[in-house]
Amino acid sequence: MFSEIHLPKGFKCAGISAGIKPTGVKDMALILSDEPACAAGVFTTNQVCAAPVKVCREHLKYGVARAIVMNSGIANACTGAEGIVAAKDMAAEAARLIGCAPQEIFVCSTGKIGPQLPLDKIEAGIAKLFDAALIENVQETAEAMMTTDTRPKVSVAEIEIEGRPVKIVGFAKGAGMIEPNMATMLSYITTDAAVERSALQSALKRAVDQSFNRISIDGDQSTNDTVLALANGAAETRPLNEASHDWCVFEQALGQVCFELAMMIVHDGEGADKFVTVRVAGAASAEDAEWAARAVANSMLNKTAWAGTYPDWGRIMDAIGYSKAKVVEEKVDIFYDDTQAVAGGCRSGVAQEDLIKVVSQTDFAININLRIGEGEAVVYTCNCTEEYVRINY
C-alpha cells in the first residue's frame, strides 16, 4: 500500500517482529534520523500515564532526537519503577547502537496495560531494527505500530521552502480508546525542513488541537498517547519560525498530515462502519460549542442509534442538554446532513424515512445550531457496533 512512499531526506525506518506478539506479527518499529533532529511532542493528559510517556517528557526537554523506538502489544503502563527502568533501557540500547545520548531517543509502547516489557525480546528487537532500517521501509514500520488497527496509517505532504523541495511524512496508529486529549494512539511526524524548536512545538500543538484532539471513537482516554515531530533540516533550508516567509506553507502542510492521520483513525474505529461529523454552531462560545459537540459524539446512545440506522434526535437533544454548554431548548435546531429533524427544540415534521436515508449512509453529519451566539466547533466520530464489544471483551 505504501511501497512507493519514501521518507524525507536523512530519515530511515523499519518494522520487524520481535516476538512480543504472536510469531510473525510485526511488533517493533524504528524511525531514525541520520543527524540530530529538532524534536517536539504532545502527550496524554491522563493522570495515569505510561512509563514511556514519562521518559519521553523528560527527553523532550533535551530538544534533540536521533530516533524513535516503539513496541506494540504491551503498553508498559501501570508497571511502576520497573517499567520506568525498562523504558530507559530501551532508550539506552538504541543510543548505544547510534552512539548518541539516551536523551536523544524517544520510546513508545502500546498494547495491554499492566504486563512488564520482555526486555530480552525488546533489546534483540532493537538490534534487528537497526539492521533493517531503510528509507523504503514505510509499510513495515506502519504495520509494526498497529494493535487493533485493521490497516496502517501514513500521510505525506510535499511542499517548497525557499524554492527547495521539502517533505513531511507522518505515521499513526489507533482504532480504540480514542477521545481527546488524544487516545491510545501514537503518531510520528518526520520532515527534512529545518525548524526552530519553539516554533515546531507550537505548530505541532496547534495541529494536534485541530486533528487528533478533534476525534472520538469511544470516549476513552488512554495512558500512552504520544505525538512526536522530528525536523532534521536535511533539505538544507534556513531554520523556519513564525516570522519566516514560508512558515504558513509549512504549518499548513503539517496540519494537513495530522488531520489526514486523525481521519484515518476514525475511519478505522474498532467495529465501526459509519463516519460521523458533529458540528455545533450558534453556541455562546467556542468552548461551549466544543462541549456540546463532544457530548453528542461520545454518547453511546447516539453511537448505537447510528449503528442501527435509527435517527433518534431526542438522544442528541439530551446530550447537548447535559453538556456544560449553555442551551436554550426552544432555540435548538438539528439537521442530519441538510435534513432538518428539530426546529426550535421540537420535531420539525420531516418524514422519518428521510432521516433514516441519511443515517443509512456510511458518512454523514449531525449539524446543530444552538442559536445563542457565534461559537462553533466540530468533532469527528463513528458509530458503535456489536463488533466493538467483541474486540474489547
Side-chain angles (χ1 to χ4, degrees):
M1 185 189 306
F2 301 122
S3 58
E4 296 182 1
I5 295 178
H6 297 290
L7 291 179
K9 292 179 183 176
F11 283 101
K12 297 182 179 69
C13 65
I16 56 98
S17 171
I20 302 168
K21 291 181 178 178
T23 304
V25 177
K26 296 182 182 68
D27 51 22
M28 287 195 71
L30 167 73
I31 294 175
L32 172 67
S33 177
D34 293 339
E35 300 295 332
C38 175
V42 181
F43 307 97
T44 182
T45 58
N46 196 322
Q47 295 178 79
V48 178
C49 63
V53 171
K54 295 173 182 176
V55 170
C56 280
R57 282 175 175 158
E58 287 300 312
H59 288 191
L60 188 60
K61 296 175 184 177
Y62 197 70
V64 175
R66 286 296 306 279
I68 301 168
V69 179
M70 69 83 59
N71 73 274
S72 58
I74 296 177
N76 194 11
C78 301
T79 47
E82 186 177 345
I84 295 291
V85 170
K88 289 182 176 180
D89 283 350
M90 286 177 68
E93 179 62 16
R96 183 186 69 80
L97 291 172
I98 295 174
C100 67
Q103 294 92 331
E104 294 178 64
I105 308 297
F106 288 84
V107 293
C108 299
S109 300
T110 182
K112 186 175 178 59
I113 293 173
Q116 297 290 345
L117 288 177
L119 273 180
D120 55 339
K121 294 179 179 179
I122 293 286
E123 291 182 356
I126 291 172
K128 190 175 177 181
L129 282 169
F130 277 88
D131 288 340
L134 295 168
I135 193 171
E136 295 90 356
N137 275 346
V138 170
Q139 177 79 24
E140 291 83 354
T141 302
E143 289 176 358
M145 295 172 63
M146 295 164 55
T147 48
T148 58
D149 307 59
T150 65
R151 49 191 177 271
K153 302 167 179 69
V154 179
S155 177
V156 180
E158 295 181 283
I159 56 176
E160 283 194 0
I161 303 293
E162 299 174 356
R164 292 178 177 269
V166 165
K167 181 181 276 190
I168 302 174
V169 176
F171 299 80
K173 66 80 52 183
M177 202 180 277
I178 301 288
E179 205 275 336
N181 293 303
M182 292 185 293
T184 184
M185 56 144 288
L186 304 175
S187 181
Y188 312 129
I189 314 297
T190 61
T191 180
D192 47 18
V195 188
E196 291 182 7
R197 179 183 172 188
S198 61
L200 183 63
Q201 181 64 43
S202 297
L204 181 65
K205 180 62 168 63
R206 287 190 291 270
V208 167
D209 283 344
Q210 296 304 314
S211 57
F212 300 117
N213 279 347
R214 291 285 169 180
I215 63 176
S216 177
I217 287 175
D218 49 21
D220 256 303
Q221 184 185 128
S222 172
T223 56
N224 290 61
D225 315 334
T226 300
V227 179
L228 295 169
L230 273 57
N232 67 5
E236 298 182 346
T237 58
R238 288 175 292 183
L240 291 165
N241 59 38
E242 286 92 340
S244 299
H245 179 267
D246 292 319
W247 176 254
C248 289
V249 175
F250 173 78
E251 185 165 15
Q252 183 178 9
L254 176 65
Q256 171 194 323
V257 167
C258 289
F259 187 80
E260 287 179 356
L261 291 170
M263 295 305 100
M264 291 178 195
I265 289 173
V266 180
H267 280 286
D268 196 25
E270 289 178 345
D273 56 17
K274 292 178 182 177
F275 180 93
V276 184
T277 302
V278 181
R279 296 189 184 92
V280 174
S285 64
E287 186 177 41
D288 270 28
E290 186 169 339
W291 284 334
R294 291 194 190 283
V296 173
N298 288 332
S299 165
M300 292 306 293
L301 285 176
N302 282 320
K303 290 176 177 294
T304 52
W306 300 332
T309 63
Y310 179 41
D312 191 339
W313 56 264
R315 297 181 180 185
I316 297 173
M317 285 289 292
D318 176 66
I320 63 175
Y322 65 62
S323 75
K324 295 168 67 176
K326 180 180 179 181
V327 176
V328 178
E329 179 184 339
E330 295 78 14
K331 293 186 176 183
V332 176
D333 291 345
I334 299 174
F335 296 78
Y336 286 71
D337 279 350
D338 296 324
T339 303
Q340 188 165 13
V342 175
C346 297
R347 182 177 179 177
S348 68
V350 68
Q352 184 79 344
E353 291 75 14
D354 292 340
L355 297 175
I356 291 173
K357 187 180 298 183
V358 176
V359 184
S360 297
Q361 301 174 114
T362 57
D363 191 335
F364 62 89
I366 302 296
N367 298 308
I368 302 162
N369 196 326
L370 300 182
R371 301 201 179 281
I372 293 174
E374 302 298 323
E376 297 181 351
V378 60
V379 172
Y380 305 92
T381 189
C382 58
N383 62 349
C384 184
T385 67
E386 292 179 27
E387 184 61 23
Y388 177 86
V389 178
R390 294 191 182 96
I391 290 170
N392 285 284
Y393 65 52

